[in-house]
Amino acid sequence: MSLNYWVNIENLQQNRRKPDGEIISYEYDIYDFDWVKLYAKPKKNVNVQFGRFEELKAVEDVLRYMDKNQEAIILVPSVLAFGTYGDNDKIPNDMPLIVKIKVL
Protein backbone atom coordinates (compact mmCIF):
# COMPACT_ATOMS: atom_id res chain seq x y z
CA MET A 1 0.00 0.00 0.00
CA SER A 2 1.05 3.58 -0.45
CA LEU A 3 1.98 4.11 3.21
CA ASN A 4 4.54 1.26 3.10
CA TYR A 5 2.63 -1.39 5.00
CA TRP A 6 1.33 -4.71 3.66
CA VAL A 7 -2.30 -5.88 3.56
CA ASN A 8 -3.52 -9.35 2.58
CA ILE A 9 -6.30 -8.08 0.29
CA GLU A 10 -5.04 -7.86 -3.27
CA ASN A 11 -5.87 -4.61 -5.10
CA LEU A 12 -7.62 -3.16 -2.06
CA GLN A 13 -6.98 0.40 -3.26
CA GLN A 14 -9.17 -0.27 -6.30
CA ASN A 15 -12.23 -0.22 -4.01
CA ARG A 16 -14.08 3.03 -3.36
CA ARG A 17 -12.21 5.23 -0.88
CA LYS A 18 -14.43 6.43 1.96
CA PRO A 19 -14.21 10.23 2.40
CA ASP A 20 -13.73 12.21 5.61
CA GLY A 21 -16.99 12.38 7.53
CA GLU A 22 -18.21 8.91 6.55
CA ILE A 23 -19.08 6.73 9.56
CA ILE A 24 -17.58 3.27 10.22
CA SER A 25 -17.55 0.66 12.99
CA TYR A 26 -14.70 -1.81 13.34
CA GLU A 27 -12.60 -3.89 15.68
CA TYR A 28 -9.07 -5.23 15.59
CA ASP A 29 -6.53 -7.30 17.46
CA ILE A 30 -2.81 -6.59 17.62
CA TYR A 31 -0.19 -9.34 17.44
CA ASP A 32 3.58 -9.48 17.45
CA PHE A 33 5.40 -11.20 14.58
CA ASP A 34 5.18 -14.55 16.37
CA TRP A 35 1.36 -14.24 16.29
CA VAL A 36 1.19 -13.66 20.03
CA LYS A 37 -1.89 -11.56 20.79
CA LEU A 38 -0.79 -8.49 22.73
CA TYR A 39 -4.13 -7.48 24.29
CA ALA A 40 -6.81 -9.87 25.58
CA LYS A 41 -9.75 -7.96 24.10
CA PRO A 42 -9.97 -6.47 20.62
CA LYS A 43 -10.00 -2.72 20.25
CA LYS A 44 -13.50 -1.80 19.10
CA ASN A 45 -14.81 1.52 17.77
CA VAL A 46 -18.44 2.09 16.86
CA ASN A 47 -19.72 4.88 14.62
CA VAL A 48 -16.51 6.87 14.25
CA GLN A 49 -15.92 9.41 11.49
CA PHE A 50 -13.11 9.28 9.02
CA GLY A 51 -10.92 12.33 9.46
CA ARG A 52 -11.39 12.21 13.25
CA PHE A 53 -9.64 8.93 13.94
CA GLU A 54 -7.18 8.48 16.76
CA GLU A 55 -5.80 5.27 15.29
CA LEU A 56 -2.70 3.94 13.65
CA LYS A 57 -2.53 5.59 10.25
CA ALA A 58 -2.26 2.19 8.52
CA VAL A 59 -5.50 1.03 10.23
CA GLU A 60 -7.38 4.13 9.10
CA ASP A 61 -6.00 3.85 5.58
CA VAL A 62 -7.04 0.20 5.16
CA LEU A 63 -10.50 0.86 6.63
CA ARG A 64 -11.14 3.55 4.01
CA TYR A 65 -11.19 0.82 1.34
CA MET A 66 -12.89 -2.04 3.21
CA ASP A 67 -16.53 -3.11 3.01
CA LYS A 68 -18.89 -4.11 5.82
CA ASN A 69 -18.04 -7.53 7.36
CA GLN A 70 -14.75 -7.63 5.47
CA GLU A 71 -11.60 -8.72 7.32
CA ALA A 72 -7.96 -7.94 6.64
CA ILE A 73 -4.51 -8.60 8.04
CA ILE A 74 -2.05 -5.70 8.04
CA LEU A 75 1.71 -5.90 8.60
CA VAL A 76 2.73 -2.55 10.04
CA PRO A 77 6.38 -1.52 10.38
CA SER A 78 7.26 0.00 13.75
CA VAL A 79 7.65 3.49 12.32
CA LEU A 80 3.94 3.40 11.29
CA ALA A 81 2.89 1.64 14.51
CA PHE A 82 4.08 2.96 17.87
CA GLY A 83 7.59 3.89 16.78
CA THR A 84 10.50 4.59 19.07
CA TYR A 85 8.45 4.82 22.28
CA GLY A 86 5.97 1.94 22.03
CA ASP A 87 2.58 2.36 23.66
CA ASN A 88 3.87 2.44 27.26
CA ASP A 89 2.01 -0.79 27.95
CA LYS A 90 2.31 -4.05 25.96
CA ILE A 91 4.07 -2.77 22.83
CA PRO A 92 7.78 -2.03 23.25
CA ASN A 93 9.77 0.45 21.22
CA ASP A 94 10.52 -0.27 17.56
CA MET A 95 8.15 -3.26 17.31
CA PRO A 96 6.48 -4.07 13.97
CA LEU A 97 2.92 -5.33 14.36
CA ILE A 98 0.36 -7.62 12.79
CA VAL A 99 -3.14 -6.16 12.94
CA LYS A 100 -6.18 -8.32 12.24
CA ILE A 101 -9.09 -6.00 11.49
CA LYS A 102 -12.81 -6.42 10.75
CA VAL A 103 -15.41 -3.90 9.63
CA LEU A 104 -18.61 -4.33 11.64
Side-chain angles (χ1 to χ4, degrees), residues 21-22 26 39 49 53 58 60-61 78-79 86 91 93 97 100:
E22 191 164 325
Y26 61 95
Y39 291 94
Q49 270 187 354
F53 270 41
E60 180 179 359
D61 193 51
S78 62
V79 70
I91 301 170
N93 62 319
L97 301 172
K100 190 173 180 183

Side-chain angles (χ1 to χ4, degrees), residues 32 38-39 78 81-97:
D32 67 14
L38 299 177
Y39 291 94
S78 62
F82 291 92
T84 304
Y85 300 104
D87 72 346
N88 295 316
D89 192 5
K90 306 265 185 190
I91 301 170
N93 62 319
D94 298 323
M95 178 184 217
L97 301 172

Side-chain angles (χ1 to χ4, degrees), residues 49-101:
Q49 270 187 354
F50 283 106
R52 297 187 179 206
F53 270 41
E54 294 182 11
E55 285 295 351
L56 299 173
K57 194 65 178 161
V59 168
E60 180 179 359
D61 193 51
V62 166
L63 284 168
R64 285 189 182 263
Y65 297 97
M66 291 177 66
D67 297 320
K68 189 171 183 162
N69 297 317
Q70 191 171 22
E71 296 183 20
I73 296 172
I74 312 166
L75 303 180
V76 185
S78 62
V79 70
L80 292 176
F82 291 92
T84 304
Y85 300 104
D87 72 346
N88 295 316
D89 192 5
K90 306 265 185 190
I91 301 170
N93 62 319
D94 298 323
M95 178 184 217
L97 301 172
I98 297 171
V99 179
K100 190 173 180 183
I101 190 165

